[in-house]
Amino acid sequence: MGLLESLFHAHPMRIDIAGTVESIRRIDSAALHECYKAFYHPSNMILFVVGDVSEDEFFSFVDARSRLPPSLPRRTA
């Protein structure tokens, strides 16, 4: 029994989200690519910019370096 399982007998915290050695060994490149495509996307991200930079200047910088279309939703505070 692992540390988390010992500390949290009935609570969901007992499940180690990093996986077990066995489950990690089963990960292949196809699974990594699927995970990347599903979760590592600007629609799943929040970015805070603080400093002496205008909104237009920031988005121009990002759009010039992005491989994604510049039509991403833009929300400002």
Side-chain angles (χ1 to χ4, degrees):
M1 183 178 291
L3 176 63
L4 292 176
E5 293 170 318
S6 297
L7 292 172
F8 302 101
H9 298 282
H11 193 277
M13 284 290 297
R14 71 189 311 264
I15 301 168
D16 186 356
I17 62 168
T20 63
V21 172
E22 295 81 26
S23 68
I24 293 170
R25 283 192 180 125
R26 291 193 302 266
I27 298 172
D28 60 10
S29 62
L32 289 175
H33 283 97
E34 286 302 313
C35 180
Y36 180 83
K37 288 191 298 186
F39 299 108
Y40 288 82
H41 189 273
S43 65
N44 289 334
M45 298 177 194
I46 297 175
L47 177 65
F48 293 89
V49 178
V50 179
D52 187 21
V53 60
S54 72
E55 180 182 348
D56 290 336
E57 182 182 5
F58 169 75
F59 280 111
S60 293
F61 178 87
V62 171
D63 290 342
R65 288 158 181 79
S66 177
R67 290 181 271 166
L68 297 170
S71 59
L72 295 173
R74 298 176 182 185
R75 294 181 4 188
T76 59

